[in-house]
Amino acid sequence: MKTDPVQRALHPPSATEIELRLLMEAIYLKYSYDFRDYTGASQKRRVLYALGQLGLPNISALQERVLRDPTLFAQLLQYLTIPVSEMFRDPAYFLALRRQVVPVLHTYPSLTVWVAGCSTGEEVFSLAILLREEGLLERTRIYATDINPASLEKARQGIFPLESVRNYTANYQRAGGQRAFSDYYTAAYDAARFDPSLCADVTFADHSLATDSVFAETHLVSCRNVLIYFNRALQDRALGLFHESLCHRGFLGLGAKESIDFSGYAERFGVLARAERIYRKAS
């Protein structure tokens, strides 16, 4: 969202862009949620969609309401964060974890995994299933973090739409699943409730990659399809947190459209599986 003076002179922002920046600044000052370094295009698209859903005429009207109504901000937060995920998304990523990361994880007596931007928990349960099948879950502490309280609560419940489970099952099988996927959940009505023991050692917590610091030493950080919504400065901040958090030669997994290649941390990670976006801390 931030531009330098030369850019502003050559390409003055539109009224909508100005309103958008003021809204993000207001949200930060009022609620300490920092969206100021999220990419402008996706942010604009989300806010304009929220206007239609909330029945407001423009961004300035939204800002006025948000500053005076915390309940409305809680609604807006659901549009700003877009809690969309699926279990074993990009199966090749999980298959690469099984084949190239798990053998190394077996060498540690205990493990810590950080799922950053965990959304509604699908990836957390996916990793928990993978770790259980590989005999590692019982000695693993998982930290699952997000900035959206509603998403975190859904993640804690471990209840997902039954209509999505067919796709999840296919993903699981392509990811090298070793059992029947139905072993991990109980179906009732239109929902599937996943085995609570999968998350017995999971800590779900509020954490912002824009404002918060490192809280634990980890062996694996999985942050997928989050950095694509950040500008370059915020991407570097997040990668710095991951680098600081990881133990010596720890692993970092990103989303299919994300990379560290042009970041300030490109030299600090080695590529383990380029196509699957898995890296290993080099220094």
Side-chain angles (χ1 to χ4, degrees):
M1 292 292 292
K2 299 172 184 175
T3 58
D4 62 42
V6 174
Q7 288 179 311
R8 287 197 297 271
L10 294 175
H11 306 285
S14 66
T16 297
E17 289 170 337
I18 293 170
E19 285 184 306
L20 195 59
R21 294 178 193 175
L22 291 173
L23 172 64
M24 297 308 152
E25 189 68 32
I27 288 172
Y28 177 66
L29 292 172
K30 176 72 174 180
Y31 299 101
S32 298
Y33 280 81
D34 194 351
F35 293 100
R36 296 174 298 174
D37 282 321
Y38 282 53
T39 57
S42 64
Q43 192 178 84
K44 179 181 177 181
R45 186 169 57 251
R46 297 178 194 186
V47 170
L48 293 179
Y49 178 73
L51 289 180
Q53 297 301 302
L54 297 172
L56 294 170
N58 52 53
I59 298 174
S60 292
L62 176 61
Q63 177 181 319
E64 182 180 1
R65 288 284 306 277
V66 162
L67 286 173
R68 290 167 173 77
D69 186 352
T71 302
L72 186 78
F73 171 67
Q75 291 178 263
L76 177 61
L77 187 60
Q78 307 313 306
Y79 299 108
L80 291 178
T81 55
I82 307 185
V84 176
S85 186
E86 65 183 56
M87 295 189 72
F88 292 95
R89 183 177 184 177
D90 303 319
Y93 170 78
F94 291 92
L95 188 60
L97 288 180
R98 285 186 189 269
R99 293 175 174 175
Q100 300 185 61
V101 176
V102 163
V104 179
L105 297 183
H106 269 292
T107 67
Y108 296 102
S110 62
L111 297 167
T112 302
V113 173
W114 179 12
V115 183
C118 71
S119 188
T120 46
E122 287 87 342
E123 179 148 342
V124 180
F125 278 87
S126 300
L127 283 171
I129 289 170
L130 185 155
L131 291 169
R132 172 165 287 178
E133 291 184 350
E134 298 296 336
L136 291 171
L137 186 60
E138 289 68 25
R139 50 179 156 131
T140 301
R141 163 66 66 180
I142 300 175
Y143 291 96
T145 64
D146 202 271
I147 62 171
N148 189 329
S151 293
L152 285 171
E153 182 54 36
K154 289 181 180 179
R156 289 188 187 95
Q157 294 173 1
I159 299 174
F160 304 110
L162 195 58
E163 63 183 5
S164 301
V165 171
R166 178 177 297 178
N167 182 46
Y168 296 170
T169 301
N171 286 350
Y172 166 75
Q173 291 168 343
R174 291 196 296 269
Q178 299 172 359
R179 300 172 57 178
F181 193 55
S182 57
D183 290 347
Y184 294 107
Y185 65 85
T186 302
Y189 302 102
D190 295 324
R193 183 175 188 268
F194 279 76
D195 183 353
S197 71
L198 290 167
C199 287
D201 287 316
V202 175
T203 298
F204 293 97
D206 184 294
H207 182 276
S208 170
L209 296 173
T211 58
D212 293 330
S213 58
V214 170
F215 56 87
E217 183 179 72
T218 57
H219 300 86
L220 167 65
V221 174
S222 189
C223 180
R224 306 179 65 234
N225 307 300
V226 176
L227 298 188
I228 55 174
Y229 299 113
F230 295 173
N231 67 15
R232 181 62 58 81
L234 187 51
Q235 287 178 2
D236 275 359
R237 186 187 195 280
L239 290 170
L241 292 178
F242 302 153
H243 185 271
E244 184 181 350
S245 170
L246 285 167
C247 67
H248 177 65
R249 303 289 287 155
F251 299 93
L252 170 65
L254 301 179
K257 297 181 180 180
E258 298 167 333
S259 172
I260 65 169
D261 288 350
F262 301 104
S263 75
Y265 285 83
E267 302 301 320
R268 301 191 187 186
F269 287 94
V271 177
L272 183 69
R274 182 171 294 280
E276 293 78 19
R277 301 298 195 269
I278 300 176
Y279 304 88
R280 195 169 187 186
K281 185 175 178 179
S283 63

